[in-house]
Amino acid sequence: MTMTYGELKQAVQDYTENDETTFVNNIPLFIRLTEERILKSVQLNLFQKNQFGNMTTGNQYLAAPTDFLAPFSLSIDVGGDAEFLLFKDLDFVQTYTPDPTTTGQPKYYAQFDIDYFLLGPTPNAEYTAELHYFYRPLSITDSTLNDNSTTWLSENAELSILYGSLVEAYLYMKGDPDMLTSYDKRFQESLAGLKLLGEAKETTDEYRTGKVIRVKR
């Protein structure tokens, strides 16, 4: 079942039976929080992309994409061959190259902050870099969309986005604990199905590995 943005907002109002103005104005927030919970809880391989960039000689920092969520791999072009850097803790990279003026072919990288990676050692040449990463998809609440818009999550994870939004809504309303527990249970159940898709079915095929076997409870 596919849910448009308008249908999702209306469903949250209908389930909660709450049309108070402040509550309605916060529904987009409930949805965005739910999208973030899903993205942080489930590894969905379709939310991966590649981006090329350039390392600058003597600059130990490499800019991260604006939609960056988590790294998958980072490689540099060395004589036409891809050399992959190892992802390490920030402390490791800083300890490996305590003097940023020490240059060489980068071997390691770490996430310095939300905008930059730290390279070690500092690049000694203008390397072409290719970053493969998990990205944060456009929210269904984005201002560029409208009530008729859909996203992958609203088309393929409608139970997760609906029940997650209801959990956030009931927390906001300080609603009935039993109802909150019920919605959270449905949310967690839907996440389990989404994890099966994203972390098992998307990464295997039955011809080579056989059917995905779930633990019986």
Side-chain angles (χ1 to χ4, degrees), residues 36 39-40 47-51 63-71 111 114-115 117 131-139:
E36 194 69 13
L39 293 173
K40 295 291 180 59
F47 292 141
Q48 293 183 31
K49 65 166 64 172
N50 285 48
Q51 181 167 310
T66 56
D67 59 356
F68 174 81
L69 187 61
Q111 191 167 351
I114 61 174
D115 296 314
F117 298 111
L131 177 68
H132 188 193
Y133 65 101
F134 294 100
Y135 72 94
R136 179 177 284 101
L138 190 68
S139 171

Side-chain angles (χ1 to χ4, degrees), residues 48-62:
Q48 293 183 31
K49 65 166 64 172
N50 285 48
Q51 181 167 310
F52 288 91
N54 294 294
M55 295 181 180
T56 305
T57 304
N59 183 359
Q60 64 180 150
Y61 298 101
L62 178 67

Side-chain angles (χ1 to χ4, degrees), residues 1-13:
M1 181 182 73
T2 296
M3 296 188 75
T4 65
Y5 181 37
E7 290 171 338
L8 180 56
K9 289 189 293 183
Q10 188 60 52
V12 172
Q13 281 188 256

Side-chain angles (χ1 to χ4, degrees), residues 6 22-23 29 44 49 55 67 74 76 87 89 94 105 113 141 143 156 167 191 209-210:
T22 304
F23 173 83
L29 173 61
L44 295 167
K49 65 166 64 172
M55 295 181 180
D67 59 356
L74 175 63
I76 57 176
F87 187 62
D89 290 335
Q94 290 175 324
Q105 179 181 317
D113 57 23
T141 68
S143 59
N156 299 278
V167 169
L191 275 187
T209 62

